[in-house]
Amino acid sequence: MMSQLRFLRKGRTILSTCLTDLFSKRFPSLSSTTFNITEWNFQNSTSYRFKQTEVTEEKKLSDIKKKTTDVKYEIRPMRKIDVPQGLDVWRETGMQEGTHSIYSWLKFDPHGFYVAVTNSGEVLGTCAAVINHDDLAFIGLYSVREKYRGLGIGSKIWNACLEHVGTRNLALNSAPGTLEMYRDKCAFPIVEDRWEILLNETDLNVSPANLSDQVPFGVRVQHCRESDLPLIYEFDFNLVGYKRDLVIKLTSQEQDTKTVVAIKDGECIGYGTIRKTCQGIGYVGPLYANDSSIAEVILRRLIVSAPEVKGLFIGTDSNNA
């Protein structure tokens, strides 16, 4: 069973561009947050279910609990009707997610998102566990409205996601301060310790003038067309090690989304996507390229293509050379 860790290693070997260096040089004022990569490897025959006492917030919300402990809700797969409220939950908790991305992922994995919903239809919390591959799933977007935290709601959504994943390998990005919890309490024993994900974020306008638009000889950088998708599919497969054709097609064609591709000698050598998030920020991702100069031009073209969005959010690897 090939693990996510091996997929990521393969990606680092092929992808020579270090976007972290690019950002530090071109946009030194951007703030960044470090995330770690962890993986749940079911080959170890480990399983885990949260105990309510272990997920209770350290901050006591006794006054709020008095008003919310009697709330009636169910845990079920997210439906299209839940999406606007799911976005509200992420806005409330400061998450950056595309305004139309959930619809794409629901088409790819109809049971990949779970919600806690009251009898009146209020969404209390969400969690996603999308099956990317026969042996690999990725969990994230784990969030509960503040006034409903500490009631065990989040753990029940989490457990539903784990049941959906089954015995597949499961990976996640751990936020600062949570690595030990996932590693020690949630049975995620494999930790990528040779590189980290740096989240670069600003709500201020980012000038594309800081980036080069000089395209190397023989390379075309253009907005993605339907006919370019097969080239992107092949490039992406060589990068991650498994096919993501449907995901790429769906996410690259979302509303509020622009995709740029670099082509040389009839082959894709890089591509990137920018979309408007639920916070109104321009979210760049994915962005892959074989060469740093190509990556820089793609990034510039993406920013230029979305003048209506303010700010920028992008995750870069601390070392992907």
Side-chain angles (χ1 to χ4, degrees):
M1 181 181 294
M2 184 179 288
S3 70
Q4 168 73 345
L5 213 59
R6 287 179 62 188
F7 285 139
L8 293 174
R9 285 175 183 166
K10 185 173 184 179
R12 285 204 309 276
T13 300
I14 297 174
L15 178 61
S16 61
T17 300
C18 190
L19 290 174
T20 297
D21 291 342
L22 174 63
F23 268 80
S24 63
K25 293 175 182 176
R26 301 292 192 266
F27 305 110
S29 60
L30 260 66
S31 62
S32 63
T33 305
T34 301
F35 275 54
N36 296 101
I37 300 289
T38 59
E39 182 194 355
W40 187 351
N41 190 329
F42 285 94
Q43 288 178 298
N44 295 333
S45 299
T46 55
S47 62
Y48 180 80
R49 295 293 183 268
F50 278 119
K51 296 179 181 178
Q52 184 168 342
T53 55
E54 293 175 332
V55 297
T56 301
E57 296 286 340
E58 292 183 4
K59 178 182 178 182
K60 301 301 181 180
L61 303 174
S62 56
D63 293 338
I64 296 177
K65 286 182 183 180
K66 292 177 182 177
K67 301 177 183 179
T68 58
T69 50
D70 60 345
V71 63
K72 306 297 183 184
Y73 63 92
E74 65 171 331
I75 308 297
R76 59 165 173 77
M78 179 182 280
R79 302 167 184 165
K80 287 185 178 180
I81 195 174
D82 303 319
V83 172
Q85 287 197 69
L87 292 172
D88 286 340
V89 173
W90 297 334
R91 289 189 191 98
E92 181 181 310
T93 53
M95 289 186 175
Q96 299 283 6
E97 182 60 30
T99 52
H100 298 279
S101 298
I102 309 179
Y103 297 108
S104 297
W105 287 107
L106 287 178
K107 290 180 181 179
F108 178 75
D109 184 353
H111 292 85
F113 284 72
Y114 279 80
V115 290
V117 187
T118 66
N119 295 337
S120 63
E122 181 185 5
V123 174
L124 311 180
T126 71
C127 188
V130 175
I131 297 174
N132 293 0
H133 182 263
D134 290 343
D135 291 332
L136 175 66
F138 204 94
I139 194 165
L141 296 174
Y142 178 43
S143 182
V144 176
R145 294 185 190 273
E146 185 174 0
K147 64 179 179 179
Y148 294 109
R149 293 176 187 171
L151 304 177
I153 296 173
S155 63
K156 292 179 181 178
I157 308 174
W158 176 275
N159 288 340
C161 286
L162 295 187
E163 291 178 6
H164 172 59
V165 170
T167 59
R168 296 174 179 85
N169 289 323
L170 182 63
L172 60 80
N173 296 333
S174 61
T178 63
L179 173 62
E180 291 75 14
M181 179 189 74
Y182 287 116
R183 183 192 63 200
D184 302 335
K185 296 183 178 180
C186 305
F188 281 80
I190 302 175
V191 178
E192 173 58 76
D193 57 4
R194 286 178 294 181
W195 59 277
E196 300 169 318
I197 294 178
L198 304 178
L199 297 184
N200 306 276
E201 180 177 6
T202 179
D203 58 2
L204 302 176
N205 285 327
V206 175
S207 173
N210 292 329
L211 297 165
S212 170
D213 197 37
Q214 185 173 353
V215 181
F217 179 76
V219 176
R220 289 183 290 118
V221 179
Q222 61 193 36
H223 289 288
C224 180
R225 302 170 298 185
E226 186 82 22
S227 59
D228 296 327
L229 289 175
L231 303 179
I232 294 178
Y233 299 158
E234 183 177 0
F235 173 82
D236 190 82
F237 173 76
N238 290 328
L239 178 68
V240 302
Y242 60 96
K243 285 188 172 294
R244 302 194 299 180
D245 298 7
L246 180 57
V247 170
I248 293 171
K249 180 176 182 178
L250 292 173
T251 56
S252 66
Q253 296 177 347
E254 294 170 2
Q255 296 181 45
D256 296 333
T257 295
K258 301 289 192 305
T259 297
V260 171
V261 59
I263 299 173
K264 182 178 182 180
D265 298 329
E267 295 184 355
C268 173
I269 59 172
Y271 78 99
T273 297
I274 187 170
R275 57 179 51 85
K276 185 178 181 180
T277 74
C278 56
Q279 307 288 353
I281 300 295
Y283 181 173
V284 175
L287 173 52
Y288 301 130
N290 285 344
D291 181 85
S292 60
S293 61
I294 299 298
E296 185 166 352
V297 173
I298 291 175
L299 180 58
R300 178 189 172 101
R301 300 283 178 92
L302 290 173
I303 295 173
V304 170
S305 71
E308 71 282 1
V309 294
K310 182 180 180 182
L312 186 68
F313 177 86
I314 182 173
T316 62
D317 298 342
S318 60
N319 175 23
N320 59 355

